[in-house]
Amino acid sequence: MSDRLDIDSPQIPLFQVIPRSEHTISRRLISPRALKVLYRLHESGFRACLVGGGVRDLLLGLEPKDFDVATDARPEEVRRLFRNCRLIGRRFRLAHIHFGSEIIEVATFRAQQDPDDAEVSVELDDYGRILSDNIFGSIEDDALRRDFTINALYYDIADFSVWDYASGMADLQAGVLRLIGDPEQRYREDPVRMLRAVRFMAKLGFRLAPETEAPLHQLGHLLLQAPPARLFDELLKLFMGGQAVQCFELLRLFGLFRYLFPATDRCLRNEYYSAPRHLLIHAFANTDQRIAEGRPITPAFLYATLLWGPLQSLLQQSAFQAMPRGEALQKACDELIRHQNRHTALPRRYALPMREIWALQNRFERRSGKRALAFMQHPRFRAAYDFLLLRAAAGEPVAELAEWWTMVQQLDDSARRQALSINTDQPRQAKVAANR
Ligand code: ATP
Ligand code: MG
C-alpha cells in the first residue's frame, strides 16, 4: 500500500474495491435520472457503474458536470431497455438516454487496442494516433484505456462500492494527475490528452506526476495533427471553464499554446510590445469573473481577443496599408481566419460576430450625429464596447474614448442627444488601431 502514495514512482496498477462504508459518495448527490438508468440496467442483469468525471468530482466534494454510465450491456441491449434512447457515434457507438434536456450517456465497456499488437488491426495514423477504437472489453480493459487514474474509478450500483483498477484513489487523495500506462504513448495516441491534463490541473488544483509531465514539454507539436474541430471544442472547455487565466499560463508553460494559436504566440513573443499579453490576461480574468457571477460569455469575444494581436500585425503589412481601411480589414480577417482554421477551427457562427466586434471598433471614433446614436442600438454594440474597454485596460491609447462612451451610455435620452450633437470637434487623439 505505502508505495502507492509515492507519487514519484511510476504507476503500478493495483486493484482494490472500496466498500460503501469507506468512501463518501452518497446517492443523494447523484442525478435521479442517472440513478434510474443505473438501476434499470442492474435489474436487467447487467453490470452498471457511474464512471469518469462524475465519480471523481463526487469524491472530491465537487458538483459533477455530467454523469456518465458504463455497462457490460451492448448498445442495442441498452436501447431495448429505454424508450428514450438514441444510439450515436460512428467511431464508437454510445447510447444517449434523453430526459428532457438532461442526457445520460451510457457506454459499453471497451478495450484499449494495443497499438503494438500486430494481431489486432488497429488503425493508427503516421504519428501513432488511434483512428478507430471499437472493441468491446471487460470493465478492467475499460478502466485501463481511460486517460488519468482519477478518471478511471467506477461506482458500482450493485453494492455502492468504488472499483479502482489504476490506483486512482491514492492519486485523488494526493492531488496528482497521472496518465495510465506509458505517458508518451498515451499522448501520441491522442494529443488532446495534453490539453485535458492542463484543464484538470486548473480545475482541480492538482499537479502532474513527474512521468506524466516530462513528455508534455516535448510533444506539443502533435497537436498540429489533431482535428481542428476537436481542438476548438477542447479550447472552449479550457477557456470557458472558469479557470481561463490559469489554463492560458499552463498552455504557455508547457509550450502548447504556440501549436494552437501560432500567430498569437508570435505576437506574445515580441518583448517590446506587451499589449497582446495584457489584453489576453484581462480578457481571461474577465471571462473567469463573469462565469463566477453566472453571466454569459461567448466564444466570439474570446476569439476576438485571441486574434486581435495578429490582426494588428497583419494590418501593419504594406499590402494592407495600401488598401482602403474597410477592404484591408476584410482581407486581413479572411487571411487570419483561414490560417487559424488549420489549427483550431472557428465555426462561422462565431467567426461572423468576431469580425463584427473588430469592424465596429472604428465606429467608436465618430462621437456625434445620428449615426453615433444609431450605433448604440446596434445588436453588437455591447460586445464591441466591452472589447473597447478591454483594449483600454490593456494599455492601448483608447482610454479617453472608452470613458466617453461609458459616460454617454449613462445619460438620459435628451442629454445623450445633446452630447452627441455638440461633440463634433472632439480631438481624434484616440485613433482606433483596427484600421491601420
Ligand atoms: P468533465 O466532464 O468534468 O470535463 P470528465 O473526466 O468527465 O471531466 P469527459 O470528457 O466527460 O471528462 O470524459 C469522461 C471520461 O471519459 C473521462 O473521465 C475519462 O475516463 C474518459 N476520457 C475522456 N476523454 C478521454 C481521452 N481523450 N482519452 C482517454 N479517456 C478519455
Ligand atoms: Mg464528464
Side-chain angles (χ1 to χ4, degrees):
M1 272 301 272
S2 62
D3 61 353
R4 292 173 65 243
L5 291 171
D6 174 5
I7 75 141
D8 293 337
S9 70
Q11 182 238 338
I12 310 153
L14 278 185
F15 173 64
Q16 62 167 343
V17 179
I18 302 137
R20 171 63 191 97
S21 55
E22 288 171 33
H23 67 72
T24 52
I25 298 183
S26 152
R27 271 166 292 163
R28 275 183 301 112
L29 302 170
I30 300 173
S31 133
R33 272 82 177 256
L35 281 175
K36 196 170 161 170
V37 171
L38 288 165
Y39 282 130
R40 172 130 3 133
L41 283 164
H42 176 59
E43 284 154 13
S44 310
F46 296 109
R47 184 97 193 252
C49 301
L50 214 55
V51 67
V55 181
R56 177 198 68 215
D57 290 352
L58 284 176
L59 287 168
L60 288 171
L62 304 171
E63 194 184 329
K65 228 170 53 187
D66 43 38
F67 291 95
D68 295 330
V69 170
T71 180
D72 57 1
R74 297 295 164 99
E76 290 71 24
E77 293 173 316
V78 177
R79 184 168 49 187
R80 259 177 259 135
L81 286 179
F82 299 93
R83 263 189 308 119
N84 44 341
C85 173
R86 295 236 305 267
L87 298 188
I88 58 138
R90 263 184 317 132
R91 187 171 134 175
F92 191 83
R93 305 265 283 169
L94 293 170
H96 273 183
I97 324 260
H98 291 253
F99 299 91
S101 63
E102 189 181 5
I103 296 176
I104 305 295
E105 189 170 288
V106 181
T108 306
F109 297 141
R110 61 198 210 241
Q112 161 83 45
Q113 301 174 4
D114 183 354
D116 298 329
D117 184 352
E119 294 297 304
V120 220
S121 75
V122 186
E123 235 190 299
L124 294 178
D125 69 7
D126 296 345
Y127 304 88
R129 197 156 54 98
I130 293 186
L131 295 177
S132 66
D133 177 16
N134 50 11
I135 289 182
F136 295 124
S138 67
I139 181 171
E140 183 174 3
D141 295 330
D142 193 76
L144 299 182
R145 74 164 178 87
R146 289 178 185 271
D147 49 3
F148 298 97
T149 62
I150 60 166
N151 285 346
L153 293 163
Y154 295 71
Y155 171 81
D156 192 335
I157 203 65
D159 59 2
F160 318 119
S161 57
V162 170
W163 291 56
D164 180 3
Y165 290 92
S167 303
M169 203 58 134
D171 284 337
L172 201 74
Q173 279 156 5
V176 171
L177 271 170
R178 188 193 309 276
L179 275 172
I180 298 171
D182 176 60
E184 178 165 346
Q185 187 182 324
R186 300 309 306 281
Y187 288 133
R188 285 188 181 279
E189 284 165 8
D190 181 4
V192 170
R193 289 174 185 148
M194 296 189 276
L195 304 182
R196 290 175 61 85
V198 164
R199 180 156 66 88
F200 293 131
M201 282 178 83
K203 169 177 166 159
L204 307 173
F206 276 32
R207 62 193 176 105
L208 294 179
E211 82 277 6
T212 297
E213 175 170 346
L216 200 55
H217 296 273
Q218 321 298 332
L219 298 177
H221 62 94
L222 295 171
L223 290 170
L224 297 174
Q225 268 72 50
R230 182 152 175 240
L231 289 181
F232 175 75
D233 290 343
E234 203 53 42
L235 276 177
L236 292 194
K237 292 188 197 161
L238 280 163
F239 291 141
M240 297 171 67
Q243 269 88 31
V245 174
Q246 214 197 331
C247 286
F248 172 65
E249 301 286 16
L250 287 169
L251 289 175
R252 296 260 297 154
L253 180 74
F254 293 132
L256 303 177
F257 188 76
R258 53 191 286 210
Y259 297 106
L260 299 167
F261 290 93
T264 311
D265 194 70
R266 276 195 296 278
C267 288
L268 292 171
R269 279 166 200 278
N270 182 344
E271 56 189 294
Y272 300 107
Y273 184 48
S274 60
R277 185 181 156 74
H278 287 146
L279 188 85
L280 285 184
I281 294 290
H282 270 97
F284 290 139
N286 261 346
T287 308
D288 290 344
Q289 197 184 342
R290 289 181 77 106
I291 290 171
E293 293 166 359
R295 286 151 71 203
I297 40 166
T298 145
F301 194 86
L302 269 177
Y303 263 72
T305 51
L306 277 158
L307 298 179
W308 178 250
L311 178 70
Q312 301 315 307
S313 309
L314 262 188
L315 289 170
Q316 298 295 327
Q317 292 178 5
S318 52
F320 292 104
Q321 291 274 331
M323 292 176 201
R325 277 173 126 191
E327 187 188 344
L329 182 63
Q330 290 310 320
K331 291 247 163 73
C333 284
D334 290 344
E335 187 172 322
L336 199 57
I337 293 171
R338 208 176 325 113
H339 178 262
Q340 184 58 38
N341 277 344
R342 283 190 248 133
H343 299 277
T344 64
L346 179 64
R348 274 177 70 83
R349 67 179 183 284
Y350 300 127
L352 292 176
M354 172 187 77
R355 295 173 75 126
E356 214 165 8
I357 288 171
W358 287 341
L360 291 175
Q361 295 306 301
N362 295 330
R363 285 189 59 180
F364 288 111
E365 285 175 74
R366 183 190 281 265
R367 297 195 230 181
S368 63
K370 288 201 175 123
R371 276 203 63 185
L373 191 64
F375 178 34
M376 297 180 74
Q377 308 304 319
H378 192 288
R380 210 75 70 191
F381 174 82
R382 187 71 214 184
Y385 165 73
D386 284 344
F387 195 75
L388 180 73
L389 289 184
L390 202 58
R391 292 172 55 211
E396 282 191 46
V398 290
E400 190 260 341
L401 197 60
E403 263 170 45
W404 190 87
W405 280 98
T406 304
M407 178 276 293
V408 164
Q409 288 177 79
Q410 288 157 358
L411 299 176
D412 65 26
D413 194 48
S414 70
R416 183 180 293 168
R417 281 172 186 278
Q418 217 175 12
L420 287 165
S421 55
I422 57 166
N423 262 304
T424 332
D425 295 312
Q426 280 286 331
R428 288 284 178 97
Q429 147 236 23
K431 193 112 186 137
V432 174
N435 307 303
R436 286 284 155 241

